[in-house]
Amino acid sequence: EAEAPLCPRYNREARLDSRTATIPRDGCIRKQHLWCLGAVLLLASVVAMVADHVGRQNHHAASFASKKTLDQTTLDELEFENQIDEASKKEIEEEVLDRLKDKIQEGIKEGIKDGIKNVSKVLEERSAKTIADQVKKQLAKALRTTSANSTRISSSKSVPATTTTAANQTTAASISDNPAPDSLFCFSVMNVDSYELSLMRSQLEQGAGIFSCNAWSVFSDRTTWLSPGPPVRIENTVLDIAIKASAGKSTHFLNTDVFAKAWGMVHKEGKYKNAGWTVKADPDAVLFPERLRQHVRSIPDYTKNHPNGVFVLNCLYNDHKYWFFGALEVFSTKAMETYFAGSEKCMKALDRGELGEDTWMRKCLDILQVDSIKDTGLLSDGYCDEAPSPCVSGKVAFHPFKNAEAYFACRNEAQAADKNKKFKK
């Protein structure tokens, strides 16, 4: 065809190369060129469609009742990766492939036949591979995160390894004779019907907050997942009490019975025995366990000097008195043992109906002659007459931050402040 004097497809005279008297490669614009160009454009549009579909977590919001919409890309991926499962994967594949087949059929109807049908087949195969790669990538990220958290749980002296499909269930932990003085067991009590569920899932996915402690537990009044796996589905521990206040009452001040149940479960699990300190943190407290370890290292001979243990007063309130604020509660292991041995005495002596959990616990520890120490470097709290934001004070915890976007913005801000401080030094 290149040797012919005419372009047979257009029946017009071709431009000849004067040196060779032949039609150069660009002498005729053949229809095949247009078809190939169309195929390339179709492939590009399909790939863009797949990327857009996989990246839109809101498309699957109905499948996940607890999903929160976050502005930051990292947090969007966090929520999607944390909730993707086999059913979601299959739904993505089927819907995108259906849309892909429709586009190919439209192209065929417009005149793409014979040899171009093979291109359509290639397009379908490549697009299917793209879908599989995208889903595989999402699952791999979730797998790495869950595996890291599972490894942290299993490697902790406080939490025995498990072969069950649901991790972090209530178990009796073996007792360590010599736990590290700065080791931490941390726990939170979570309301699954509030923003706290999304917060705890996000923190676990990032290894933030209590999930950076040596051992941890999450308590609520019914079972839900914190990480769906694979390889292990991680769930909370269930308390036999409803986590809500009576009508007309404030949850903030009438949660003592809930936390009494939580402390009972702490005792039953026994993880606190393998740590030097026990920490109760609210789900919306941005906690930095590594900073807390530095603080507790500065408490010398706390076992010898305080036979019943110690707890930390963390707030200098506006009346210039030191208070014990519940967003972050820190106790030595000996203080826990004293409390568990004498809690019934407190139940009889104190009115749980009108005292908030933190006030009730402080009064109880005073009755049991547990010593208190003062450390205002622990907590930056809006309820303690100190604005927690910006999170640059270097304190151990900042409270409250009630959605994942604000939580991780505070966390990133605090970490950036640490880096700047090291750079200046």
Side-chain angles (χ1 to χ4, degrees):
E1 183 180 75
E3 299 277 336
L6 297 177
C7 277
R9 304 238 178 226
Y10 293 90
N11 293 321
R12 64 177 175 79
E13 185 174 355
R15 179 169 57 84
L16 298 178
D17 190 318
S18 60
R19 294 171 297 177
T20 62
T22 60
I23 298 175
R25 186 176 299 273
D26 60 351
C28 290
I29 301 177
R30 288 174 286 182
K31 187 176 293 185
Q32 291 94 322
H33 293 165
L34 296 176
W35 293 346
C36 291
L37 178 60
V40 170
L41 293 175
L42 178 59
L43 176 60
S45 66
V46 168
V47 172
M49 176 190 69
V50 172
D52 178 68
H53 180 88
V54 174
R56 286 182 301 143
Q57 69 175 33
N58 287 338
H59 182 81
H60 299 283
S63 301
F64 309 117
S66 63
K67 185 178 293 298
K68 299 290 185 180
T69 301
L70 307 175
D71 293 331
Q72 297 178 346
T73 302
T74 301
L75 298 177
D76 285 339
E77 292 178 353
L78 178 157
E79 279 290 316
F80 182 76
E81 292 164 11
N82 204 29
Q83 300 178 53
I84 191 169
D85 54 21
E86 288 300 320
S88 302
K89 175 182 174 183
K90 186 175 180 180
E91 181 183 348
I92 292 171
E93 292 173 340
E94 290 178 351
E95 181 173 344
V96 177
L97 281 174
D98 286 342
R99 293 172 63 185
L100 172 64
K101 290 176 181 177
D102 290 341
K103 284 188 173 293
I104 291 176
Q105 291 300 324
E106 290 173 5
I108 292 175
K109 290 178 181 178
E110 291 174 1
I112 300 179
K113 299 179 180 179
D114 301 328
I116 303 303
K117 286 185 179 180
N118 294 330
V119 176
S120 301
K121 183 178 180 181
V122 171
L123 283 173
E124 184 175 10
E125 292 174 351
R126 290 183 179 178
S127 298
K129 184 177 184 300
T130 301
I131 295 168
D133 289 345
Q134 289 287 339
V135 175
K136 183 178 180 181
K137 181 180 178 181
Q138 298 288 344
L139 289 173
K141 288 182 179 179
L143 174 63
R144 287 195 299 272
T145 301
T146 307
S147 298
N149 287 320
S150 299
T151 301
R152 178 161 55 247
I153 295 169
S154 299
S155 62
S156 171
K157 294 180 180 179
S158 302
V159 186
T162 179
T163 57
T164 60
T165 57
N168 200 36
Q169 295 299 302
T170 302
T171 55
S174 59
I175 302 174
S176 174
D177 293 333
N178 296 300
D182 61 354
S183 56
L184 307 174
F185 163 66
C186 305
F187 75 92
S188 292
V189 177
M190 170 185 70
N191 185 345
V192 298
D193 294 321
S194 73
Y195 64 89
E196 295 176 348
L197 175 59
S198 177
L199 266 180
M200 297 308 294
R201 286 174 174 174
S202 299
Q203 291 172 44
L204 174 58
E205 207 280 342
Q206 294 290 314
I210 68 170
F211 304 105
S212 290
C213 297
N214 300 82
W216 55 265
S217 287
V218 177
F219 303 128
S220 191
D221 55 354
R222 66 178 186 269
T223 302
T224 187
W225 58 265
L226 301 173
S227 175
V232 178
R233 178 183 174 92
I234 301 176
E235 298 178 345
N236 64 292
T237 301
V238 177
L239 301 177
D240 185 22
I241 189 172
I243 301 180
K244 60 181 180 180
S246 302
K249 300 293 184 180
S250 170
T251 303
H252 179 71
F253 291 105
L254 291 181
N255 56 5
T256 304
D257 286 335
V258 171
F259 279 92
K261 288 283 187 179
W263 284 115
M265 189 60 69
V266 168
H267 188 214
K268 182 177 179 180
E269 286 187 327
K271 298 177 187 178
Y272 76 96
K273 299 175 184 178
N274 292 329
W277 297 84
T278 294
V279 181
K280 173 257 173 181
D282 283 355
D284 55 358
V286 183
L287 172 65
F288 293 92
E290 63 276 14
R291 294 182 180 179
L292 181 56
R293 292 186 182 100
Q294 295 176 2
H295 281 254
V296 298
R297 290 187 197 117
S298 67
I299 304 174
D301 298 326
Y302 62 88
T303 302
K304 296 178 181 178
N305 297 335
H306 307 282
N308 291 332
V310 297
F311 67 101
V312 183
L313 301 178
N314 52 24
C315 172
L316 183 60
Y317 202 46
N318 57 6
D319 56 4
H320 302 292
K321 293 181 180 180
Y322 284 92
W323 286 74
F324 182 64
F325 267 48
L328 180 69
E329 302 176 6
V330 181
F331 313 85
S332 69
T333 301
K334 185 60 180 178
M336 288 289 90
E337 293 173 350
T338 302
Y339 169 76
F340 293 133
S343 59
E344 287 300 322
K345 183 178 181 180
C346 297
M347 295 291 182
K348 296 176 181 178
L350 299 173
D351 182 5
R352 302 195 305 277
E354 296 300 327
L355 293 176
E357 172 271 333
D358 46 7
T359 302
W360 188 91
M361 177 60 85
R362 177 183 178 176
K363 289 180 177 295
C364 176
L365 295 178
D366 288 341
I367 291 173
L368 299 177
Q369 298 182 345
V370 177
D371 293 332
S372 64
I373 57 177
K374 303 176 180 67
D375 189 345
T376 57
L378 292 188
L379 181 62
S380 181
D381 195 318
Y383 296 110
C384 192
D385 288 349
E386 180 180 349
S389 182
C391 305
V392 296
S393 64
K395 293 194 175 182
V396 170
F398 302 86
H399 175 265
F401 291 89
K402 297 183 180 296
N403 63 71
E405 182 182 359
Y407 183 100
F408 286 99
C410 173
R411 185 169 183 259
N412 294 337
E413 192 173 44
Q415 291 174 333
D418 284 348
K419 290 181 180 179
N420 290 337
K421 186 181 297 184
K422 291 179 181 179
F423 178 78
K424 290 180 180 179
K425 288 182 178 181

